[in-house]
Amino acid sequence: MKNNKLIEEKKVKAEMFSESDILEKKVSRKEFIKLGAIGTILATAGSRVFSLHADEKQQLSSQNSVRWGMAIDPKKCKEGCTDCITSCHEAHNVPDHHDKKNEVKWIWKENQQTLFPEKVSPYKKNENNLPYITLCNHCDTPSCVRVCPTQATWKRSEDGIVMMDYHRCIGCRFCMAACPYGSRSFNYKNPRSGLDKINSSYPTRTIGVVEKCNFCAERIADNKEPLCVINCKEKAIVFGNLNDPESEIRQLLEKYPSERRKVELGTGPAVFYLS
Amino acid sequence: MIEQGFKGSKKFKLWLLFLAGIILTAVATYRYQLSEGLTITGMSRDISWGFYVANFTFFVGVAASAVMLVIPYYLHHYEKFGPVIVLGEWLAVAAVIMSGLFIMADMGQPQRFLNILLHPTPGSMLFWDMLVLTGYLLLNLIIAWKTTGIIQSKAPAPQWLRNLTYLSIPWAIAIHTVTAFLYSGLPGRHLWLTAIMAPRFLASAFASGPALLILLFKLQEATNNYKFDPKVYNTLGKIVLYGMIVNIFFYLMEFFTAFYSNIPSHKETLTYLFFGLEGHHKMVPWAWASALLGVSGIAVLGFSIARTMQKGLVFSALLIFFATYIDKGLILVIGGFIPSPMGTITEYSITLPEFIITAGIWAIGLLIISVAFQMTLNLKKESERP
């Protein structure tokens, strides 16, 4: 009895909001469609502004798609070696202007305590200064992508790489303010003036645009691993599909503890550091 | 109508010529910036926004503050503001144009700016900022132009004009709120990541904008032989006083949260700004100058209002204008980048070309204000002639 009454009540409520009823209340069909359209636009805008679907676990576990990621073993990284950096910067025509102000870099070395300040213990000797390789984290919910007013930077849906369109970038540098990792550089100067020789198989940039690591998207298209990975003699960098449980990177991350930079910010970095 | 804006004394024409000179120098410097790139500014990889963006933020506030004339008149029937409202709207027009120009000056590829409309991105606050600022400019341009146009005929404002003016009230709040959202939604920039960023922006805007109006009115009296009602000054002064007190109150809230919670990342930038950090103190004199100008401005202003001393009121408007300009036009934007995401400190200093281009945009704003005020007051004088 009680249940029936409830169902009836629900029915009445549903009818109150049915389309025919609205039409009777002198909301014309045109207006009704208009309201619907406005609602859809607002909902789309809302879900874009606030990352409503940013469930990281869900994204990491979806098996059907590729999700490129990187695992770095800093203990293997040799001091004084810059093979990964020079091979990347030479191939991608990353300029060197020889001053900090106009600096452009895709991959470089920092101290452990710079990347993981919360790991610093006042009693641990030496190890806080281990050199750590750093580059764009190709985040799951990249804040640089969220703020870009022209979609000149975007997350590739097929494999999670955060890309740059150097021809669309207006140089507002909003992405640089939004990136919590300092991974982005701006061409304050003509980039060609900072290149000794130009690799003609990769484009140079123009003045006034932002650039950063692209996970060697141009090599991935040819089924090749990124340059920093293959040029590291110590095999300190492993690259692979995080969505594939059989991949080397997944095996490593399942076996050993690892950490990522500033996970508390909700960005979901795809670059892991084995600890 | 516009020809009335150029009718004036020899001194007025020389003033316009002087502004034009600054603008031309700035245009030449901007051409230099276009060819050399933003390397000619003080900005760097770590401090990727500087004086241009800071000025942009400040002038969005000045533009929004036009509502401080509109609200008392339209919502509270404060009749004394009737004759001066249009000047506030002209100031808003000039300030929005300045904001837009500062953004253009800051862009690495300004010729591509229409990409923002070509690839509309509702997730980007900059996209919304461009929309609301363009809308606000059109709104104020129409309102100010029409209001100026009916001065001579003494016709009452048509209903559509009043409706547009009502619309401009929430719109003004929107432009400064969206501008605050450019900053307050960024992860990892702790000075900006604060929920009271938008309220702070509005409070400082409602102090700085009316303070600028007081100064501009006084300048008009000194040069243009036009007298404003002394009550207008006093009421504007009260608005500045409340705005500035709330602004400083909000600022102190930031200090409490940062230092009482004792969380290093929240304290670092404020420490850098007011006391210096790891041997870097370039901003310390500016931060204290802003604080002292603000506090002394409040004291002088309160005293002057109580004693209806106009000279003191104008002087305190000057103090508060500079206090808010240093705060928003320098400290807030640059401070947000210190320390960098890597924890390093890079300092910033304005370069000469950057300063000249900024001065040029100021001159464009002053030119618009001078002509618009001259036009409005000339028409008023004519209509008041028996």
Side-chain angles (χ1 to χ4, degrees), chain B residues 12-224:
Chain B
F12 177 70
K13 279 168 187 158
L14 275 174
W15 164 245
L16 293 188
L17 221 58
F18 167 71
L19 290 177
I22 295 179
I23 294 167
L24 285 178
T25 318
V27 168
T29 315
Y30 183 64
R31 282 195 57 178
Y32 170 62
Q33 178 181 298
L34 274 183
S35 65
E36 293 301 304
L38 286 161
T39 182
I40 63 153
T41 69
M43 287 182 275
S44 58
R45 192 179 189 278
D46 280 346
I47 313 257
S48 47
W49 281 340
F51 203 37
Y52 296 148
V53 173
N55 271 281
F56 152 78
T57 311
F58 180 79
F59 280 102
V60 173
V62 171
S65 72
V67 290
M68 288 292 106
L69 294 179
V70 173
I71 290 176
Y73 180 75
Y74 279 86
L75 302 186
H76 300 277
H77 308 289
Y78 182 70
E79 299 296 330
K80 297 269 183 245
F81 274 176
V84 296
I85 265 187
V86 63
L87 298 176
E89 284 155 353
W90 280 122
L91 175 62
V93 168
V96 184
I97 290 174
M98 288 172 79
S99 309
L101 289 173
F102 276 117
I103 285 292
M104 290 299 279
D106 186 65
M107 276 202 282
Q109 289 282 342
Q111 72 278 22
R112 293 183 190 165
F113 88 98
L114 283 173
N115 277 1
I116 300 177
L117 295 179
L118 204 60
H119 310 284
T121 313
S124 173
M125 287 300 124
L126 202 57
F127 165 71
W128 290 107
D129 214 25
M130 184 181 178
L131 289 192
V132 289
L133 283 173
T134 316
Y136 192 69
L137 174 60
L138 286 176
L139 207 52
N140 274 284
L141 203 55
I142 295 168
I143 295 169
W145 188 264
K146 180 70 186 170
T147 314
T148 312
I150 55 177
I151 287 174
Q152 249 178 329
S153 64
K154 287 180 183 166
Q159 191 58 41
W160 65 263
L161 188 61
R162 294 184 69 88
N163 291 345
L164 281 188
T165 313
Y166 287 127
L167 180 64
S168 76
I169 297 172
W171 207 294
I173 310 287
I175 60 166
H176 219 26
T177 303
V178 177
T179 305
F181 284 176
L182 294 178
Y183 300 98
S184 65
L186 304 181
R189 302 278 179 195
H190 295 283
L191 184 72
W192 299 339
L193 193 72
T194 167
I196 59 163
M197 190 57 100
R200 255 179 71 191
F201 268 28
L202 287 165
S204 94
F206 295 160
S208 59
L212 181 57
L213 269 183
I214 291 176
L215 298 173
L216 289 173
F217 288 175
K218 206 68 211 170
L219 271 173
Q220 289 298 324
E221 281 191 356
T223 57
N224 210 350

Side-chain angles (χ1 to χ4, degrees), chain A residues 11-73:
Chain A
K11 256 190 191 165
V12 172
K13 270 186 192 163
E15 270 165 21
M16 267 167 61
F17 294 104
S18 76
E19 194 184 340
S20 61
D21 217 47
I22 289 171
L23 284 175
E24 254 171 51
K25 279 180 190 155
K26 292 197 178 143
V27 178
S28 70
R29 181 172 289 271
K30 212 173 174 184
E31 272 175 56
F32 182 75
I33 293 170
K34 229 193 257 170
L35 282 173
I38 291 170
T40 318
I41 290 170
L42 286 179
T44 325
S47 67
R48 285 212 184 173
V49 174
F50 307 102
S51 328
L52 295 180
H53 310 294
D55 190 341
E56 204 190 316
K57 262 189 192 155
Q58 197 191 337
Q59 284 186 14
L60 282 180
S61 64
S62 77
Q63 304 281 320
N64 341 340
S65 60
V66 179
R67 177 62 171 112
W68 296 120
M70 194 174 264
I72 298 169
D73 189 347

Side-chain angles (χ1 to χ4, degrees), chain A residues 44-45 48-49 100-105 108 110 114-115 134 143 145-151 165-190 206-209 261-262 265 267, chain B residues 34-50 53 106-110 112-116 119-128 181-183 185-190 192 337 340-346 351:
Chain A
T44 325
R48 285 212 184 173
V49 174
K100 201 172 171 277
K101 191 171 166 287
N102 301 303
E103 196 178 19
V104 179
K105 49 190 178 185
W108 69 102
E110 291 281 354
T114 305
L115 298 197
T134 184
S143 43
V145 169
R146 186 159 63 238
V147 301
C148 177
T150 61
Q151 295 155 50
D165 182 343
Y166 305 115
H167 300 282
R168 194 189 278 191
C169 174
I170 59 172
C172 70
R173 308 187 296 296
F174 205 175
C175 56
M176 292 176 79
C179 175
Y181 303 107
S183 296
R184 291 176 164 267
S185 309
F186 180 71
N187 284 293
Y188 285 100
K189 268 179 151 175
N190 180 5
T206 44
I207 200 167
V209 298
R261 291 181 65 199
K262 301 183 182 176
L265 298 178
T267 44
Chain B
L34 274 183
S35 65
E36 293 301 304
L38 286 161
T39 182
I40 63 153
T41 69
M43 287 182 275
S44 58
R45 192 179 189 278
D46 280 346
I47 313 257
S48 47
W49 281 340
V53 173
D106 186 65
M107 276 202 282
Q109 289 282 342
R112 293 183 190 165
F113 88 98
L114 283 173
N115 277 1
I116 300 177
H119 310 284
T121 313
S124 173
M125 287 300 124
L126 202 57
F127 165 71
W128 290 107
F181 284 176
L182 294 178
Y183 300 98
L186 304 181
R189 302 278 179 195
H190 295 283
W192 299 339
F337 291 102
S340 78
M342 294 294 182
T344 50
I345 297 177
T346 306
T351 62

Side-chain angles (χ1 to χ4, degrees), chain A residues 56-183:
Chain A
E56 204 190 316
K57 262 189 192 155
Q58 197 191 337
Q59 284 186 14
L60 282 180
S61 64
S62 77
Q63 304 281 320
N64 341 340
S65 60
V66 179
R67 177 62 171 112
W68 296 120
M70 194 174 264
I72 298 169
D73 189 347
K75 288 188 285 299
K76 285 190 183 166
C77 184
K78 209 166 74 185
E79 236 184 304
C81 169
T82 55
D83 288 352
C84 58
I85 302 167
T86 41
S87 60
C88 166
H89 285 188
E90 275 175 15
H92 294 119
N93 293 321
V94 177
D96 183 2
H97 298 295
H98 304 287
D99 65 78
K100 201 172 171 277
K101 191 171 166 287
N102 301 303
E103 196 178 19
V104 179
K105 49 190 178 185
W106 285 24
I107 177 169
W108 69 102
K109 274 184 182 180
E110 291 281 354
N111 286 335
Q112 179 193 12
Q113 57 184 11
T114 305
L115 298 197
F116 294 99
E118 70 281 2
K119 289 274 161 189
V120 175
S121 153
Y123 305 112
K124 185 94 169 105
K125 277 189 181 166
N126 303 328
E127 275 201 22
N128 291 342
N129 288 322
L130 263 180
Y132 269 45
I133 288 290
T134 184
L135 67 166
C136 170
N137 281 292
H138 297 275
C139 301
D140 280 327
T141 43
S143 43
C144 55
V145 169
R146 186 159 63 238
V147 301
C148 177
T150 61
Q151 295 155 50
T153 188
W154 77 100
K155 194 183 132 191
R156 219 156 59 168
S157 54
E158 65 265 32
D159 59 7
I161 296 183
V162 176
M163 300 287 289
M164 271 297 304
D165 182 343
Y166 305 115
H167 300 282
R168 194 189 278 191
C169 174
I170 59 172
C172 70
R173 308 187 296 296
F174 205 175
C175 56
M176 292 176 79
C179 175
Y181 303 107
S183 296

